[in-house]
Amino acid sequence: KAGVTQTPRYLIKTRGQQVTLSCSPISGHRSVSWYQQTPGQGLQFLFEYFSETQRNKGNFPGRFSGRQFSNSRSEMNVSTLELGDSALYLCASSAWSGSKETQYFGPGTRLLVL
Amino acid sequence: GIQVEQSPPDLILQEGANSTLRCNFSDSVNNLQWFHQNPWGQLINLFYIPSGTKQNGRLSATTVATERYSLLYISSSQTTDSGVYFCAVERGHFGNEKLTFGTGTRLTIIP
């Protein structure tokens, strides 16, 4: 099976712009989660989508939003970019086996806001 | 929320050495995973281990859920083991909460 894919891999934007990142989960996985990784805050959970519905949300401002399509692909959007939004954005898809849920991460999108 | 602490923050070892990484968490969990992040940023799942002991080649992990800690053992280190090791936990059931990550242990293996 192909792994989790994320596009684009690298992105440079300026303050005030908006950006859309894409994530394609492993085939058959219906849950997609997004994380932000920065040197100062580490890895932080943004939100999770399951069957096109947001199931969980982390503690991020409303400028961060996402959605999931019927084929489980997910996008996240950041509006009105700030310098502090520069980060590695990681997407994970997960599968359940009994009571065990395992996350598989994509390679990430590196966003630089100038 | 749940707190996850990892130690040591940095570890520099000679190739062939063994190491133990520790993860302490502040509340009971139903999901604990260890990840390795390589220099390119890719997070690789090493173990799903909310309790008990598992082994995979040179790596093994033990979680003592009642005492709220987990250990990751790396034996006969190789340079490819370099990177950051994260412990991540989840407290809820069936996706009510997602993973909370520790701050990581940066492992550097010197040839």
Side-chain angles (χ1 to χ4, degrees):
Chain A
K1 276 186 182 179
V4 178
T5 58
Q6 292 186 245
T7 57
R9 294 293 312 278
Y10 303 93
L11 206 48
I12 300 175
K13 292 286 188 179
T14 56
R15 279 180 298 174
Q17 287 187 309
Q18 73 164 15
V19 66
T20 299
L21 312 181
S22 180
C23 171
S24 293
I26 293 172
S27 177
H29 289 192
R30 295 165 62 190
S31 170
V32 173
S33 300
W34 289 89
Y35 294 83
Q36 181 197 63
Q37 185 175 25
T38 59
Q41 300 299 317
L43 273 154
Q44 293 184 288
F45 169 68
L46 279 157
F47 29 65
E48 181 204 12
Y49 286 86
F50 180 84
S51 294
E52 302 178 65
T53 301
Q54 187 179 88
R55 187 159 68 172
N56 288 296
K57 189 177 190 304
N59 190 24
F60 278 81
R63 300 185 296 107
F64 292 81
S65 63
R67 59 177 175 169
Q68 187 180 34
F69 302 94
S70 58
N71 62 357
S72 294
R73 189 178 70 85
S74 177
E75 288 181 348
M76 68 163 282
N77 184 276
V78 188
S79 63
T80 319
L81 284 166
E82 301 177 359
L83 296 178
D85 297 332
S86 295
L88 177 65
Y89 290 88
L90 292 161
C91 160
S93 72
S94 59
W96 285 90
S97 175
S99 61
K100 168 186 170 181
E101 182 186 15
T102 305
Q103 273 82 13
Y104 299 89
F105 282 81
T109 294
R110 290 192 184 275
L111 171 65
L112 177 61
V113 182
L114 301 176
Chain B
I2 192 168
Q3 305 300 312
V4 183
E5 295 180 355
Q6 291 186 243
S7 59
D10 291 280
L11 193 54
I12 301 174
L13 297 171
Q14 206 77 36
E15 199 168 23
N18 302 328
S19 58
T20 300
L21 284 57
R22 186 177 179 103
C23 170
N24 293 332
F25 44 97
S26 62
D27 203 348
S28 59
V29 299
N30 74 323
N31 183 350
L32 187 148
Q33 297 180 49
W34 282 97
F35 294 90
H36 174 220
Q37 188 169 40
N38 65 24
W40 297 271
Q42 177 79 56
L43 272 169
I44 306 296
N45 188 298
L46 298 175
F47 292 104
Y48 170 92
I49 187 163
S51 64
T53 297
K54 289 187 178 179
Q55 180 156 8
N56 184 3
R58 298 181 295 103
L59 273 62
S60 63
T62 295
T63 298
V64 183
T66 53
E67 298 188 22
R68 299 180 185 168
Y69 73 88
S70 183
L71 302 172
L72 178 68
Y73 305 96
I74 305 174
S75 64
S76 304
S77 299
Q78 301 175 359
T79 55
T80 52
D81 295 331
S82 295
V84 183
Y85 289 80
F86 289 100
C87 164
V89 303
E90 184 175 343
R91 192 169 39 185
H93 291 274
F94 297 100
N96 291 333
E97 299 176 356
K98 300 315 293 182
L99 292 174
T100 298
F101 282 79
T103 52
T105 292
R106 181 175 299 277
L107 177 64
T108 304
I109 305 298
I110 301 171

